[in-house]
Amino acid sequence: MKLIFERSFEGRFNDILPKLDVPAATVPEEHQRVISPRLPEVSQPEISRHYTALAKETHGVNDGFYPLGSCTMKYNPKLNDEMAGLKGFTDIHPLQPLETVQGALSVFTELEKTLCEVTGMDHMTFQPAAGAHGELTALLMIKAYHVSRGDTKRTKIIIPDSAHGTNPASASMVGFETVNVPSNEKGCVDLEALKAVIGDDTAGLMLTNPNTLGIFEPNILEITSLIHKAGGLNYYDGANLNPIMGVVRPGDMGFDVVHLNIHKTFSTPHGGGGPGSGPIGCKEVLFNFLPTDYPVVADEMRVWHQSQKSIGRVKAFYGHFLVMVRALTYVKTLGSDGMKEAAMTAVLNANYLRASLKDTFEIPYDGLCMHEFVISLKDLKKETAVSALDFAKSLLDYDVHPPTMYFPMTVPEALMLEPTETETKETLDEVITLYRDLHERALKEPDELLSAPHHTTIKRVDEVKAARHPILRYAFKNE
Ligand SMILES: *Cc1c(COP(=O)(O)O)cnc(C)c1O
């Protein structure tokens, strides 16, 4: 595929910018650039073809199966986008007088009410822009809580070894020391190991439940109560909320603060598909530390509340507002019964896939799973040299997105599958056949998998080189 710079032809141009509708501003001379930027010069059809070609090279939920474990790549209903495109939502500005945006503010209060009901929390802020940002926000709140009580010796956050990498990263960014707890042979938190690291320096625990192996922690109440008894707070990584929404609530499991991945559980686009949202829900004890501003109703008007103890602002204005409109549309469409049914179907689909693959593949923590499960290709690799990476690359030849790889790190040669509730049985059956066929081929003709993919535009890339020496800038010929 040609780069946009390679399509460029000097003097060719197009005019797709609208007319200036605000007074022209003059850039002070010292800030004016001396050399004009080297922009590609292309016609409007060329631009259109460029982006269409790029779009065709990507794989999204609208293209096919996308079982990226822990990422919950569910279908994003188009109705959500229609609602987010309403002029009443798109043509407003955060600095507009409050009485003119009461409807928009009710999106926050309505969604807060619903999501607090789902999570068992008392309050929620929508400022954080993604899950990891929510973690950071919640840890800042946990820190502020301890400091406000003069309890400054609490410097440690306990995190199980199966946790998402963002958990220890967020804790470190807030200045906490992270303490790792190993999992037991069932893939769950080892209670004895946990007890051994809890102390009067414990600020809190970060836990994903169901965990990254797709297993619901059987000792969840004991785990959270051990932390509470030691004076710490419990943080729930809500990335795996999908299989439990409408069924059980983090708030009832002993958690004080949770983040949600709106772009995972609540069906708004991910990553390149659009901005995310990682709201934080908390119990009453943490209310005053929530980021400023917080929507409340006063004198029959929705206004912004500012707390003296707030950790401050973590995002410009109020977060990604239109993502919340999409999420509100989703929860209103499903209703409480629908949400529960979605969760149960996610669990059913994952178990159907797991049960159908378990005779062919090694599933280290077998038994009923929640929304996802993990396969290990350790033995296959030993026998044939075909690794999890090779298997994933082979899937690309069949227009099937690979599952999450090499995560959790507690499983060697891991492939983590999360089909989600929006896949049909026919799709799952096709995928089961493909996985079995590829496994057989790995045994018979391993070279084919070792050199895959064969039918994609870009074949096997040197991943280390791509990560270490990325080329991010076009090199013009005469430079
Ligand atoms: C996705 C995920 C996160 C981080 O969420 P982002 O929205 O990608 O920042 C954290 N924890 C777990 C378990 C996740 O799956």
Side-chain angles (χ1 to χ4, degrees), residues 70 130-132 135 164 166-167 208 212 237 239-240 259 261 263-264:
S70 210
E135 293 172 21
H164 197 263
T166 50
N167 289 189
T208 314
T212 52
D237 177 331
N240 291 348
H259 91 247
N261 295 75
H263 45 287
K264 293 179 181 172

Side-chain angles (χ1 to χ4, degrees), residues 273-323:
S277 172
I280 293 296
C282 70
K283 289 275 178 72
E284 208 59 57
V285 286
L286 286 170
F287 174 62
N288 284 328
F289 306 102
L290 278 168
T292 197
D293 307 331
Y294 179 82
V296 290
V297 180
D299 299 333
E300 296 182 10
M301 260 247 298
R302 292 185 178 83
V303 295
W304 296 107
H305 167 76
Q306 288 160 344
S307 156
Q308 294 289 317
K309 291 185 180 169
S310 164
I311 57 160
R313 214 177 255 293
V314 296
K315 178 95 179 79
F317 299 113
Y318 317 110
H320 290 147
F321 174 63
L322 294 177
V323 178

Side-chain angles (χ1 to χ4, degrees), residues 146 151-156 176 199-204 227 230-232:
H146 291 308
D151 199 355
T152 51
K153 63 185 180 306
R154 297 190 179 272
T155 53
K156 293 185 179 162
F176 283 121
D200 59 6
D201 55 0
T202 300
I227 298 292

Side-chain angles (χ1 to χ4, degrees), residues 200-213:
D200 59 6
D201 55 0
T202 300
L205 166 85
M206 290 180 94
L207 197 76
T208 314
N209 188 35
N211 65 22
T212 52
L213 290 164

Side-chain angles (χ1 to χ4, degrees), residues 41-70:
E41 296 176 68
V42 284
S43 65
Q44 204 177 117
E46 290 279 295
I47 289 194
S48 176
R49 284 176 192 156
H50 170 71
Y51 284 107
T52 306
L54 277 181
K56 283 182 182 164
E57 290 299 320
T58 61
H59 182 102
V61 275
N62 290 326
D63 296 295
F65 193 55
Y66 205 150
L68 214 50
S70 210

